[in-house]
Amino acid sequence: MDMDMAMDTDFVSIRIITDGIGRLVDFYERATGVRADWSTEDFAELRTATATLAIGSTRTVPMFAPGAAHPADNRSVILEFRVDDVDVLHQNLTGLALVEDLVQKPTTMPWGNRSLLLRDPDGNLVNFFTPLTPAAMERLAR
């Protein structure tokens, strides 16, 4: 495709396919403070001002292409959420015993973000971060 061709494209969402939709939606609601909007018992979305996290049951996969997606099988994508205070979030999540797999406690990264890495109940890697430096704040301005 010629990159000079005009195309109106919007990045809409990331979708996670899971065998445990209720468990995963509960995790993300509690971790983000965002209530899910359930379209059906097999599909929910958590919408923020800048992105949407869609969560679908494995029962939705055959509607697209049988076998095209496999639950709890991701080791290449990191879901990232900017938060006001990653250290407070870490305390809240560990206090609620919501995190079973803490990958890295809050750590200040060389590019100016303070990041908390963990795995959600399906094993997906999640980065909650707070920009700290002026450059990081400017790059990630809302």
Side-chain angles (χ1 to χ4, degrees):
M1 179 169 156
D2 185 354
M3 294 304 292
D4 292 331
M5 293 175 50
M7 182 184 293
D8 189 16
T9 303
D10 290 323
F11 187 76
V12 177
S13 69
I14 293 286
R15 184 181 311 189
I16 299 174
I17 297 297
T18 182
D19 281 329
I21 190 166
R23 178 194 74 224
L24 207 57
V25 168
D26 180 61
F27 170 83
Y28 281 103
E29 283 183 331
R30 293 173 65 187
T32 65
V34 176
R35 297 290 291 159
D37 177 22
W38 289 82
S39 298
T40 70
E41 65 182 358
D42 291 318
F43 186 79
E45 293 177 312
L46 288 88
R47 293 185 188 98
T48 71
T50 57
T52 297
L53 175 62
I55 303 174
S57 163
T58 52
R59 292 184 296 264
T60 64
V61 175
M63 295 176 201
F64 293 102
H70 303 272
D73 196 27
N74 171 36
R75 290 290 190 222
S76 63
V77 174
I78 303 172
L79 302 173
E80 297 188 300
F81 295 89
R82 180 179 48 214
V83 298
D84 291 333
D85 189 326
V86 74
D87 292 290
V88 169
L89 177 66
H90 175 247
Q91 291 171 358
N92 291 344
L93 294 177
T94 54
L96 293 171
L98 194 55
V99 178
E100 294 179 16
D101 190 356
L102 179 63
V103 176
Q104 178 178 290
K105 291 182 180 181
T107 302
T108 301
M109 308 307 283
W111 47 88
N113 291 339
R114 187 152 175 82
S115 295
L116 165 67
L117 288 173
L118 55 92
R119 293 201 181 275
D120 72 14
D122 273 10
N124 299 300
L125 191 58
V126 183
N127 177 28
F128 291 99
F129 70 93
T130 302
L132 295 181
T133 65
M137 288 179 204
E138 182 179 333
R139 186 176 66 251
L140 297 163
R142 291 182 177 173

